[in-house]
Amino acid sequence: MSSVSSAVTPENLLRPEVLALHAYHVPPAAGMVKLDAMENPYLLPQALRDDIARLVADAEINRYPDAGAHQLKAAIGRVTNLPAGMDILLGNGSDEIIQLLALAVAKPGAVLLSVEPSFVMYRMIARFAGMKYVGVPLAEDFSLDLKTMLEAVKREQPALVFLAYPNNPTGNQFDAEAIKQIIQVAPGLVVVDEAYYAFARDSFIPLLGQYPNLLVMRTFSKLGMAGLRLGFLAGAPAWLGQLEKLRLPYNVGVLPQLVAAKLLEHHDVLLAQAERIKQERTVLLAALASIGGVHVYPSDANFILFRVARATQIFEGLKQRGVLIKNLDGGHPALADCLRVTVGTPDESRKFVAALQDTINQLA
Ligand code: PMP
């Protein structure tokens, strides 16, 4: 080995922003009741699974995928009632779309603004795309603090604003009128991230034509397709046409394209599963609220945020009892002693509530 190459280390070669990052942590979950990642717990009906098996068997995986994903985009346009004249850009999960947007606007000094606490990838991607990140605190009840938000937008002049609607990890849906005011004041793009649209009360997709700087992002991950990795951005062709230049040509593979298009023909099946999850959310909210010492936050998503004394010990106690949820304690000051549980099946809820009660009793 030459002396030159042996002097090369990650520390002296990589960008400081990269060295300062912590990788997004995905804990092992084999054998656990898995309620940490907002997945849909239900499998598809057998007949649909058989259809998919046939599609996959005949798929031309020796060829590159359709780079324009025409069939899949048409299916998405149909199920989302996309307003006339609007277009779609596909991502390998919506995470990839956040990254693409950040790369597109990251001029020196450009700002990505969101609220805190919210989805951690906004901050992480801003940092590694070389943008300045500004996180505006939510009010104490996790609603939008509109005055502070409008001031921050005017002061920071963000190129990109992300608002998760409903928000992760708090679970609430912000006031739509407040978001409209932010869109009107924002000097750049405002992306309303509707990852949890299937469990929410309304959507900004019908408003796409009204605000030239509005884009709406969605993922199919929470609707039963987390394993396919598929998200999309909806908006005016003037924006999406430019962003398409940054999309890697074959970012959505042959199999995800085929399977997702087939599943969207059966969107009703997926929405019926989402409906079951919403019903179970009501049951789980009530069960959590009835446990002494647990403070539950309202949810318009497929997960529930709650606060409990000694959250980290409770989280570990749950894990020992075979139940994996998400520990948010220590992540953000507003989330001290907070835990987040995904709404699963009734059976999973029972196991989780029993394990929680048992852990609390043991710690008492
Ligand atoms: N946006 C929000 C608000 C999320 O909570 C998530 C997933 N946790 C995503 C985007 C990313 O989803 P995916 O990459 O699976 O499409």
Side-chain angles (χ1 to χ4, degrees):
M1 212 187 277
S2 79
S3 60
V4 174
S5 67
S6 65
V8 177
T9 63
E11 286 70 25
N12 66 23
L13 185 70
L14 300 183
R15 291 156 51 208
E17 307 87 290
V18 176
L19 293 171
L21 284 177
H22 297 282
Y24 188 87
H25 177 59
V26 180
M32 308 281 278
V33 176
K34 190 172 184 308
L35 299 174
D36 65 327
M38 283 78 101
E39 292 143 328
N40 173 346
Y42 297 109
L43 288 176
L44 296 166
Q46 191 60 48
L48 190 47
R49 289 161 74 185
D50 292 344
D51 273 3
I52 290 171
R54 273 190 297 274
L55 268 180
V56 170
D58 292 340
E60 291 193 348
I61 54 169
N62 53 317
R63 303 284 176 202
Y64 281 108
D66 171 5
H70 296 93
Q71 201 196 345
L72 177 55
K73 278 191 186 177
I76 293 175
R78 208 171 45 243
V79 301
T80 49
N81 289 323
L82 203 64
M86 293 297 142
D87 216 341
I88 282 171
L89 176 144
L90 296 182
N92 191 300
S94 48
D95 285 341
E96 192 187 43
I97 296 174
I98 304 171
Q99 172 177 285
L100 190 147
L101 281 160
L103 287 175
V105 299
K107 293 180 188 167
V111 170
L112 186 154
L113 183 143
S114 190
V115 293
E116 294 270 339
S118 189
F119 184 39
V120 291
M121 291 307 289
Y122 305 145
R123 179 179 58 222
M124 196 164 159
I125 289 173
R127 296 248 162 90
F128 71 63
M131 296 184 77
K132 177 182 169 193
Y133 172 79
V134 174
V136 180
L138 291 173
E140 210 171 323
D141 63 355
F142 298 134
S143 63
L144 268 182
D145 179 345
L146 184 59
K147 185 168 167 285
T148 309
M149 193 69 185
L150 292 175
E151 280 166 9
V153 169
K154 285 180 190 151
R155 184 180 65 246
E156 302 289 345
Q157 295 287 296
L160 202 50
V161 175
F162 275 97
L163 291 169
Y165 183 79
N167 190 36
N168 171 19
T170 57
N172 56 318
Q173 199 161 316
F174 300 136
D175 179 32
E177 293 308 314
I179 294 183
K180 287 178 197 168
Q181 287 194 45
I182 293 163
I183 296 170
Q184 278 164 334
V185 169
L189 286 170
V190 177
V191 182
V192 175
D193 177 353
E194 297 187 351
Y196 300 96
Y197 77 95
F199 316 96
R201 281 175 283 129
D202 66 359
S203 165
F204 274 72
I205 283 192
L207 304 184
L208 274 172
Q210 287 179 28
Y211 301 99
N213 60 335
L214 169 66
L215 297 172
V216 178
M217 188 173 77
R218 284 188 176 178
T219 175
F220 291 117
S221 294
K222 325 295 171 179
L223 192 63
M225 302 187 223
L228 291 183
R229 306 303 297 133
L230 187 64
F232 70 91
L233 187 67
W239 289 115
L240 299 198
Q242 294 293 334
L243 296 170
E244 273 290 338
K245 300 179 197 168
L246 281 178
R247 185 182 64 82
L248 300 179
Y250 304 115
N251 64 331
V252 182
V254 170
L255 299 182
Q257 286 195 31
L258 271 176
V259 176
K262 168 57 76 185
L263 287 183
L264 293 178
E265 281 173 25
H266 300 274
H267 199 224
D268 54 327
V269 172
L270 300 171
L271 290 180
Q273 292 183 342
E275 204 48 49
R276 283 168 81 180
I277 293 169
K278 276 160 64 177
Q279 282 167 16
E280 186 54 27
R281 176 176 74 194
T282 307
V283 175
L284 187 54
L285 277 167
L288 278 170
S290 73
I291 299 177
V294 172
H295 177 84
V296 195
Y297 291 90
S299 170
D300 290 304
N302 63 340
F303 59 86
I304 297 171
L305 181 77
F306 62 101
R307 204 183 285 272
V308 62
R310 293 191 280 176
T312 295
Q313 280 169 276
I314 303 270
F315 170 77
E316 293 298 336
L318 286 168
K319 217 157 79 174
Q320 281 160 17
R321 289 163 179 79
V323 179
L324 184 65
I325 64 168
K326 177 87 174 173
N327 185 9
L328 299 163
D329 185 42
H332 187 278
L335 296 173
D337 270 335
C338 280
L339 301 172
R340 186 193 69 198
V341 62
T342 304
V343 181
T345 63
D347 185 52
E348 287 173 328
S349 289
R350 267 193 298 278
K351 287 180 178 147
F352 158 67
V353 170
L356 178 63
Q357 189 70 74
D358 194 41
T359 308
I360 291 174
N361 292 346
Q362 198 202 16
L363 289 175

